[in-house]
Amino acid sequence: MSTSAPLPAEPARTADTAAGRGGSVIDRLVESNRKYADAFSDPGMDARPVLAVAVVACMDARLDLHAALGLELGDCHTIRNAGGVVTDDAIRSLTISQRALGTRSVVLIHHTGCGLESLTEDFRHELEMEVGQRPAWAVEAFRDVDQDVRQSMQRVRTSPFLLHTDDVRGFVFDVTTGLLREIDPQP
């Protein structure tokens, strides 16, 4: 029994090619950071996002949120997880973002072709059988991406911990066109 999602038949880049000659992928990332730090200049920002917005989005590697939304460093808080689902931990981050760091707007972004559409809560049961312990977290799998965006909007709007729930909008990012499609909170 496997809890791993199927891999693409021929990935454009594998962990081996990403690592380069010798070393691990993490070694390559650390080396890239050294080069980045050599040219780095402290931008003099604080942790408060310039646009007072928090973006909750899927962790999918195909989503370059800053480029897709025209954002610059310091413009927003970005909260990412599997599916871009508003979980208890996403509410925790949004609460800190709003109450301690001044954000007032929330953008929720799911996307087409999400891996959570092919999972079920059986994933947790399979994992329990494999490792001998059931995860405390829910998979939060879904079949209808639009409906899941609506559910996430509702979770934000009804959270007693959040101060600003009037400017909450949800979208589905199309991974083939790069366009956002806004989701009406009411089906």
Side-chain angles (χ1 to χ4, degrees):
M1 173 176 333
S2 171
T3 56
S4 299
L7 296 174
E10 290 187 27
R13 195 170 66 162
T14 66
D16 291 338
T17 61
R21 286 187 273 167
S24 72
V25 172
I26 295 172
D27 291 334
R28 185 186 65 81
L29 297 175
V30 170
E31 179 57 31
S32 292
N33 173 256
R34 284 188 191 107
K35 292 175 186 173
Y36 170 80
D38 287 344
F40 184 77
S41 176
D42 180 359
M45 300 177 194
D46 74 13
R48 294 175 177 274
V50 172
L51 299 178
V53 64
V55 178
V56 179
C58 186
M59 66 186 190
D60 192 295
R62 297 171 290 180
L63 277 64
D64 182 349
L65 293 173
H66 276 74
L69 300 174
L71 296 168
E72 299 292 330
L73 181 67
D75 282 349
C76 72
H77 283 160
T78 305
I79 302 158
R80 294 183 81 157
N81 65 30
V85 178
V86 175
T87 61
D88 287 345
D89 193 62
I91 292 291
R92 178 188 71 87
S93 293
L94 287 170
T95 301
I96 293 167
S97 178
Q98 287 190 358
R99 291 180 175 266
L101 297 165
T103 59
R104 302 182 64 83
S105 300
V106 178
V107 176
L108 306 171
I109 301 177
H110 285 33
H111 66 91
T112 58
C114 185
L116 282 187
E117 291 175 295
S118 64
L119 291 177
T120 67
E121 287 300 317
D122 288 341
F123 180 85
R124 290 177 68 224
H125 303 293
E126 292 170 6
L127 197 53
E128 179 182 14
M129 296 304 293
E130 182 180 322
V131 303
Q133 181 178 340
R134 179 178 287 189
W137 38 264
V139 174
E140 296 276 356
F142 53 86
R143 295 278 180 251
D144 181 337
V145 67
D146 291 15
Q147 183 55 36
D148 203 67
V149 171
R150 285 185 196 96
Q151 177 176 295
S152 289
M153 284 191 281
Q154 186 64 15
R155 286 178 177 176
V156 170
R157 288 190 173 125
T158 60
S159 173
F161 306 110
L162 299 175
L163 296 172
H164 307 289
T165 58
D166 294 339
D167 192 13
V168 177
R169 293 171 62 186
F171 300 85
V172 174
F173 177 86
D174 187 315
V175 298
T176 60
T177 67
L179 289 173
L180 289 175
R181 177 173 53 83
E182 188 158 9
I183 302 302
D184 188 331
Q186 303 302 318

PDB file of all heavy atoms in Angstrom, residues 83-105:
ATOM      1  N   GLY A  83      -3.284  22.227  -1.307  1.00  0.00           N
ATOM      2  CA  GLY A  83      -4.630  22.612  -1.700  1.00  0.00           C
ATOM      3  C   GLY A  83      -4.967  24.070  -1.480  1.00  0.00           C
ATOM      4  O   GLY A  83      -5.979  24.549  -1.973  1.00  0.00           O
ATOM      5  N   GLY A  84      -4.163  24.795  -0.716  1.00  0.00           N
ATOM      6  CA  GLY A  84      -4.532  26.175  -0.388  1.00  0.00           C
ATOM      7  C   GLY A  84      -5.746  26.231   0.513  1.00  0.00           C
ATOM      8  O   GLY A  84      -6.475  27.217   0.549  1.00  0.00           O
ATOM      9  N   VAL A  85      -5.966  25.164   1.258  1.00  0.00           N
ATOM     10  CA  VAL A  85      -7.149  25.003   2.096  1.00  0.00           C
ATOM     11  C   VAL A  85      -7.010  25.848   3.369  1.00  0.00           C
ATOM     12  O   VAL A  85      -5.925  25.941   3.943  1.00  0.00           O
ATOM     13  CB  VAL A  85      -7.332  23.513   2.458  1.00  0.00           C
ATOM     14  CG1 VAL A  85      -8.520  23.306   3.379  1.00  0.00           C
ATOM     15  CG2 VAL A  85      -7.480  22.681   1.191  1.00  0.00           C
ATOM     16  N   VAL A  86      -8.095  26.443   3.793  1.00  0.00           N
ATOM     17  CA  VAL A  86      -8.088  27.198   5.045  1.00  0.00           C
ATOM     18  C   VAL A  86      -8.282  26.208   6.190  1.00  0.00           C
ATOM     19  O   VAL A  86      -9.391  25.804   6.509  1.00  0.00           O
ATOM     20  CB  VAL A  86      -9.155  28.308   5.049  1.00  0.00           C
ATOM     21  CG1 VAL A  86      -9.204  29.002   6.403  1.00  0.00           C
ATOM     22  CG2 VAL A  86      -8.851  29.318   3.953  1.00  0.00           C
ATOM     23  N   THR A  87      -7.164  25.813   6.760  1.00  0.00           N
ATOM     24  CA  THR A  87      -7.125  24.892   7.896  1.00  0.00           C
ATOM     25  C   THR A  87      -6.981  25.692   9.186  1.00  0.00           C
ATOM     26  O   THR A  87      -6.834  26.925   9.145  1.00  0.00           O
ATOM     27  CB  THR A  87      -5.909  23.960   7.762  1.00  0.00           C
ATOM     28  OG1 THR A  87      -4.727  24.776   7.771  1.00  0.00           O
ATOM     29  CG2 THR A  87      -5.972  23.128   6.487  1.00  0.00           C
ATOM     30  N   ASP A  88      -6.965  25.000  10.320  1.00  0.00           N
ATOM     31  CA  ASP A  88      -6.712  25.683  11.593  1.00  0.00           C
ATOM     32  C   ASP A  88      -5.372  26.406  11.559  1.00  0.00           C
ATOM     33  O   ASP A  88      -5.241  27.512  12.084  1.00  0.00           O
ATOM     34  CB  ASP A  88      -6.735  24.696  12.766  1.00  0.00           C
ATOM     35  CG  ASP A  88      -8.138  24.221  13.114  1.00  0.00           C
ATOM     36  OD1 ASP A  88      -9.124  24.845  12.654  1.00  0.00           O
ATOM     37  OD2 ASP A  88      -8.243  23.220  13.850  1.00  0.00           O
ATOM     38  N   ASP A  89      -4.364  25.794  10.946  1.00  0.00           N
ATOM     39  CA  ASP A  89      -3.061  26.452  10.899  1.00  0.00           C
ATOM     40  C   ASP A  89      -3.084  27.671   9.983  1.00  0.00           C
ATOM     41  O   ASP A  89      -2.417  28.671  10.261  1.00  0.00           O
ATOM     42  CB  ASP A  89      -1.958  25.482  10.471  1.00  0.00           C
ATOM     43  CG  ASP A  89      -0.589  26.081  10.722  1.00  0.00           C
ATOM     44  OD1 ASP A  89      -0.282  26.360  11.909  1.00  0.00           O
ATOM     45  OD2 ASP A  89       0.152  26.310   9.760  1.00  0.00           O
ATOM     46  N   ALA A  90      -3.842  27.628   8.902  1.00  0.00           N
ATOM     47  CA  ALA A  90      -3.976  28.809   8.039  1.00  0.00           C
ATOM     48  C   ALA A  90      -4.679  29.929   8.806  1.00  0.00           C
ATOM     49  O   ALA A  90      -4.280  31.097   8.697  1.00  0.00           O
ATOM     50  CB  ALA A  90      -4.745  28.457   6.767  1.00  0.00           C
ATOM     51  N   ILE A  91      -5.696  29.590   9.590  1.00  0.00           N
ATOM     52  CA  ILE A  91      -6.370  30.597  10.432  1.00  0.00           C
ATOM     53  C   ILE A  91      -5.380  31.175  11.442  1.00  0.00           C
ATOM     54  O   ILE A  91      -5.358  32.385  11.691  1.00  0.00           O
ATOM     55  CB  ILE A  91      -7.605  30.004  11.147  1.00  0.00           C
ATOM     56  CG1 ILE A  91      -8.703  29.671  10.120  1.00  0.00           C
ATOM     57  CG2 ILE A  91      -8.118  30.928  12.240  1.00  0.00           C
ATOM     58  CD1 ILE A  91      -9.368  30.870   9.458  1.00  0.00           C
ATOM     59  N   ARG A  92      -4.530  30.325  12.023  1.00  0.00           N
ATOM     60  CA  ARG A  92      -3.502  30.806  12.957  1.00  0.00           C
ATOM     61  C   ARG A  92      -2.616  31.844  12.267  1.00  0.00           C
ATOM     62  O   ARG A  92      -2.398  32.945  12.791  1.00  0.00           O
ATOM     63  CB  ARG A  92      -2.648  29.627  13.441  1.00  0.00           C
ATOM     64  CG  ARG A  92      -1.508  30.013  14.379  1.00  0.00           C
ATOM     65  CD  ARG A  92      -0.594  28.823  14.667  1.00  0.00           C
ATOM     66  NE  ARG A  92       0.211  28.447  13.524  1.00  0.00           N
ATOM     67  CZ  ARG A  92       1.408  28.982  13.235  1.00  0.00           C
ATOM     68  NH1 ARG A  92       1.932  29.903  14.003  1.00  0.00           N
ATOM     69  NH2 ARG A  92       2.068  28.583  12.175  1.00  0.00           N
ATOM     70  N   SER A  93      -2.131  31.525  11.081  1.00  0.00           N
ATOM     71  CA  SER A  93      -1.268  32.451  10.357  1.00  0.00           C
ATOM     72  C   SER A  93      -2.011  33.726   9.966  1.00  0.00           C
ATOM     73  O   SER A  93      -1.464  34.831  10.080  1.00  0.00           O
ATOM     74  CB  SER A  93      -0.699  31.771   9.108  1.00  0.00           C
ATOM     75  OG  SER A  93       0.178  30.730   9.476  1.00  0.00           O
ATOM     76  N   LEU A  94      -3.243  33.602   9.502  1.00  0.00           N
ATOM     77  CA  LEU A  94      -4.032  34.786   9.149  1.00  0.00           C
ATOM     78  C   LEU A  94      -4.300  35.663  10.366  1.00  0.00           C
ATOM     79  O   LEU A  94      -4.278  36.897  10.275  1.00  0.00           O
ATOM     80  CB  LEU A  94      -5.357  34.379   8.499  1.00  0.00           C
ATOM     81  CG  LEU A  94      -5.266  33.847   7.075  1.00  0.00           C
ATOM     82  CD1 LEU A  94      -6.602  33.244   6.642  1.00  0.00           C
ATOM     83  CD2 LEU A  94      -4.812  34.939   6.106  1.00  0.00           C
ATOM     84  N   THR A  95      -4.553  35.043  11.500  1.00  0.00           N
ATOM     85  CA  THR A  95      -4.812  35.793  12.725  1.00  0.00           C
ATOM     86  C   THR A  95      -3.582  36.615  13.112  1.00  0.00           C
ATOM     87  O   THR A  95      -3.687  37.808  13.438  1.00  0.00           O
ATOM     88  CB  THR A  95      -5.218  34.846  13.867  1.00  0.00           C
ATOM     89  OG1 THR A  95      -6.399  34.132  13.471  1.00  0.00           O
ATOM     90  CG2 THR A  95      -5.487  35.607  15.153  1.00  0.00           C
ATOM     91  N   ILE A  96      -2.420  36.003  13.066  1.00  0.00           N
ATOM     92  CA  ILE A  96      -1.183  36.724  13.365  1.00  0.00           C
ATOM     93  C   ILE A  96      -0.953  37.816  12.320  1.00  0.00           C
ATOM     94  O   ILE A  96      -0.589  38.952  12.647  1.00  0.00           O
ATOM     95  CB  ILE A  96       0.005  35.739  13.433  1.00  0.00           C
ATOM     96  CG1 ILE A  96      -0.165  34.825  14.649  1.00  0.00           C
ATOM     97  CG2 ILE A  96       1.334  36.480  13.477  1.00  0.00           C
ATOM     98  CD1 ILE A  96       0.746  33.610  14.664  1.00  0.00           C
ATOM     99  N   SER A  97      -1.200  37.488  11.048  1.00  0.00           N
ATOM    100  CA  SER A  97      -1.034  38.451   9.964  1.00  0.00           C
ATOM    101  C   SER A  97      -1.909  39.681  10.183  1.00  0.00           C
ATOM    102  O   SER A  97      -1.450  40.816  10.016  1.00  0.00           O
ATOM    103  CB  SER A  97      -1.384  37.767   8.634  1.00  0.00           C
ATOM    104  OG  SER A  97      -1.299  38.652   7.553  1.00  0.00           O
ATOM    105  N   GLN A  98      -3.149  39.466  10.575  1.00  0.00           N
ATOM    106  CA  GLN A  98      -4.068  40.593  10.775  1.00  0.00           C
ATOM    107  C   GLN A  98      -3.816  41.319  12.096  1.00  0.00           C
ATOM    108  O   GLN A  98      -3.664  42.538  12.126  1.00  0.00           O
ATOM    109  CB  GLN A  98      -5.519  40.110  10.738  1.00  0.00           C
ATOM    110  CG  GLN A  98      -5.998  39.758   9.361  1.00  0.00           C
ATOM    111  CD  GLN A  98      -7.493  39.508   9.303  1.00  0.00           C
ATOM    112  OE1 GLN A  98      -8.210  39.557  10.300  1.00  0.00           O
ATOM    113  NE2 GLN A  98      -7.980  39.235   8.100  1.00  0.00           N
ATOM    114  N   ARG A  99      -3.804  40.582  13.182  1.00  0.00           N
ATOM    115  CA  ARG A  99      -3.759  41.205  14.504  1.00  0.00           C
ATOM    116  C   ARG A  99      -2.390  41.779  14.868  1.00  0.00           C
ATOM    117  O   ARG A  99      -2.326  42.784  15.572  1.00  0.00           O
ATOM    118  CB  ARG A  99      -4.214  40.220  15.569  1.00  0.00           C
ATOM    119  CG  ARG A  99      -5.709  39.917  15.467  1.00  0.00           C
ATOM    120  CD  ARG A  99      -6.161  38.924  16.523  1.00  0.00           C
ATOM    121  NE  ARG A  99      -7.591  38.748  16.488  1.00  0.00           N
ATOM    122  CZ  ARG A  99      -8.453  39.426  17.243  1.00  0.00           C
ATOM    123  NH1 ARG A  99      -8.028  40.321  18.092  1.00  0.00           N
ATOM    124  NH2 ARG A  99      -9.748  39.191  17.134  1.00  0.00           N
ATOM    125  N   ALA A 100      -1.320  41.164  14.419  1.00  0.00           N
ATOM    126  CA  ALA A 100       0.011  41.640  14.787  1.00  0.00           C
ATOM    127  C   ALA A 100       0.707  42.411  13.666  1.00  0.00           C
ATOM    128  O   ALA A 100       1.597  43.211  13.939  1.00  0.00           O
ATOM    129  CB  ALA A 100       0.889  40.459  15.215  1.00  0.00           C
ATOM    130  N   LEU A 101       0.265  42.177  12.397  1.00  0.00           N
ATOM    131  CA  LEU A 101       1.026  42.745  11.288  1.00  0.00           C
ATOM    132  C   LEU A 101       0.197  43.538  10.286  1.00  0.00           C
ATOM    133  O   LEU A 101       0.678  43.889   9.211  1.00  0.00           O
ATOM    134  CB  LEU A 101       1.815  41.633  10.587  1.00  0.00           C
ATOM    135  CG  LEU A 101       2.846  40.977  11.520  1.00  0.00           C
ATOM    136  CD1 LEU A 101       3.350  39.674  10.939  1.00  0.00           C
ATOM    137  CD2 LEU A 101       3.996  41.936  11.791  1.00  0.00           C
ATOM    138  N   GLY A 102      -1.067  43.804  10.628  1.00  0.00           N
ATOM    139  CA  GLY A 102      -1.846  44.804   9.917  1.00  0.00           C
ATOM    140  C   GLY A 102      -2.506  44.445   8.608  1.00  0.00           C
ATOM    141  O   GLY A 102      -2.976  45.337   7.901  1.00  0.00           O
ATOM    142  N   THR A 103      -2.596  43.172   8.235  1.00  0.00           N
ATOM    143  CA  THR A 103      -3.292  42.879   6.979  1.00  0.00           C
ATOM    144  C   THR A 103      -4.794  43.034   7.168  1.00  0.00           C
ATOM    145  O   THR A 103      -5.328  42.861   8.261  1.00  0.00           O
ATOM    146  CB  THR A 103      -2.955  41.470   6.435  1.00  0.00           C
ATOM    147  OG1 THR A 103      -3.319  40.491   7.383  1.00  0.00           O
ATOM    148  CG2 THR A 103      -1.478  41.354   6.103  1.00  0.00           C
ATOM    149  N   ARG A 104      -5.464  43.374   6.081  1.00  0.00           N
ATOM    150  CA  ARG A 104      -6.905  43.605   6.134  1.00  0.00           C
ATOM    151  C   ARG A 104      -7.665  42.823   5.061  1.00  0.00           C
ATOM    152  O   ARG A 104      -8.865  42.656   5.155  1.00  0.00           O
ATOM    153  CB  ARG A 104      -7.204  45.095   5.982  1.00  0.00           C
ATOM    154  CG  ARG A 104      -6.525  45.963   7.046  1.00  0.00           C
ATOM    155  CD  ARG A 104      -6.879  47.422   6.900  1.00  0.00           C
ATOM    156  NE  ARG A 104      -8.283  47.680   7.108  1.00  0.00           N
ATOM    157  CZ  ARG A 104      -8.875  47.836   8.291  1.00  0.00           C
ATOM    158  NH1 ARG A 104      -8.171  47.721   9.382  1.00  0.00           N
ATOM    159  NH2 ARG A 104     -10.167  48.087   8.375  1.00  0.00           N
ATOM    160  N   SER A 105      -6.973  42.375   4.024  1.00  0.00           N
ATOM    161  CA  SER A 105      -7.608  41.659   2.921  1.00  0.00           C
ATOM    162  C   SER A 105      -7.034  40.245   2.842  1.00  0.00           C
ATOM    163  O   SER A 105      -5.874  40.021   3.187  1.00  0.00           O
ATOM    164  CB  SER A 105      -7.340  42.370   1.590  1.00  0.00           C
ATOM    165  OG  SER A 105      -7.851  43.685   1.622  1.00  0.00           O
TER     166      SER A 105
END
